[in-house]
Amino acid sequence: MLALAGGSTPKRLYQLLAELPEGTINWSKVVLLWGDERNVPSDSEQSNFRMVRENLLDHVEIPADNILAVPDPGGEAKTAAAEYDALLRAKIVDEYGSVNLDCALLGMGDDVHTASLFPGTTALAETEKLVVENWVEKLDCWRITLTAPTLNAASSVLFLIAGNAKQQALHLLWHGERDAQRYPSQLIQPASGELRFMLDEAAVGENRPPDGATLEFHS
Ligand code: 6PG
C-alpha cells in the first residue's frame, strides 16, 4: 500500500521506477493510492492520476484492482472526496479501524504545504475522515486530499524535496515556529512509523536537520 504524491520531484521518481529492469519490483503486489488529487477529469493535464499513469502505470504491470485512484474527479469535490474516503475505508482500514498504509510519499511546496494540505485551509483541522475536499483560495480550486491522520498512520513517510526554492520551506518545517496552520507539513508526524526526507543539496543548503535526526549523503 503506497500513497503517491504529485509534483515534479515525485514524478522523476516514478520515471526511475518505470525504468528499473523487469523483475526488480513485483508490481503485482503493489497497491497504489493517491495522497492528493486535483479536482479535474482523470485525462486532464492537471490530473495527478494522469501524471502517474504516463510516468509509471503505462510502463509496469500493476493489476487494475490495485490502482485505487479518486473515482470520478472533476465534478462536485465533496462527492469525489466522500467516494474516495469510502473506497479507501473499504481497502486500507482493517477490522479494528486501523489504517494499513506501508508508505506515504510526499512532496512539499515552497509554502510548506504537503499533499493538498495548504496553509490556512479547512482540511488541516480534519481528524475523522481519511480523505476530504479542500478549497485552496490562492489556487482558486478544489483539491481532494488524504488528511494528516491518514498520512501519519503510514509505516513509513518519505518526503521527496528538491531544488533551491525549497530551502526556506525546509527551514520553516524543521526550525520554524510550531504553527501548522502556516506550515502544514509540520502536521506530518507518523504515529509509530518512520519519517524520512530524501533531499538534494540545493534543498538542504545551510539547513541543519532537527534535533535527533541525521543527514546521510548518497551519490
Ligand atoms: C500537487 C502536489 C504538490 C506537490 C508539491 C511539491 O498536486 O500540487 O501534490 O503537493 O507535491 O507542490 O511539488 P514539486 O516536487 O514539483 O516541487
Side-chain angles (χ1 to χ4, degrees):
M1 295 279 180
L2 170 64
L4 300 170
S8 54
T9 315
K11 176 176 164 181
R12 184 69 194 119
L13 176 68
Y14 307 145
Q15 292 167 345
L16 292 170
L17 289 172
E19 287 165 11
L20 288 174
E22 215 179 312
T24 310
I25 292 177
N26 182 354
W27 289 106
S28 69
K29 301 269 187 213
V30 174
V31 178
L32 300 176
L33 51 137
W34 271 253
D36 70 322
E37 184 54 283
R38 287 93 185 268
N39 191 35
V40 294
S42 301
D43 58 357
S44 162
E45 287 191 3
Q46 296 297 311
S47 163
N48 280 341
F49 172 80
R50 176 173 165 169
M51 184 275 277
V52 176
R53 178 173 59 71
E54 290 180 344
N55 292 284
L56 181 64
L57 304 180
D58 284 350
H59 310 281
V60 297
E61 298 286 332
I62 301 187
D65 281 354
N66 292 8
I67 299 172
L68 309 179
V70 177
D72 255 343
E76 190 72 43
K78 191 179 170 72
T79 307
E83 286 179 4
Y84 201 37
D85 188 274
L87 172 70
L88 294 188
R89 217 161 268 283
K91 299 282 189 179
I92 71 167
V93 177
D94 68 18
E95 58 198 292
Y96 307 106
S98 301
V99 171
N100 288 318
L101 184 55
D102 298 304
C103 181
L105 288 179
L106 293 171
M108 183 172 74
D110 50 17
D111 61 355
V112 204
H113 85 264
T114 191
S116 282
L117 301 169
F118 284 83
T121 57
T122 55
L124 303 181
E126 180 60 45
T127 57
E128 299 295 322
K129 294 178 182 166
L130 299 177
V131 180
V132 287
E133 71 281 8
N134 200 21
W135 174 252
V136 185
E137 188 68 41
K138 70 177 177 183
L139 302 177
D140 193 27
C141 70
W142 286 99
R143 294 290 188 97
I144 294 152
T145 186
L146 297 194
T147 59
T150 310
L151 295 165
N152 283 332
S155 305
S156 171
V157 177
L158 177 59
F159 274 95
L160 300 174
I161 304 172
N164 191 266
K166 302 295 167 68
Q167 250 184 55
Q168 175 68 3
L170 200 56
H171 173 75
L172 291 167
L173 171 61
W174 283 349
H175 303 293
E177 184 191 341
R178 298 296 90 186
D179 184 351
Q181 280 294 319
R182 284 165 70 199
Y183 314 130
S185 295
Q186 291 180 355
L187 287 173
I188 304 305
Q189 295 168 19
S192 57
E194 62 166 15
L195 175 62
R196 279 175 183 260
F197 293 83
M198 199 179 282
L199 309 163
D200 70 354
E201 281 178 17
V204 176
E206 297 299 310
N207 281 311
R208 299 271 58 87
D211 286 348
T214 50
L215 285 178
E216 282 176 25
F217 296 91
H218 300 273
S219 52

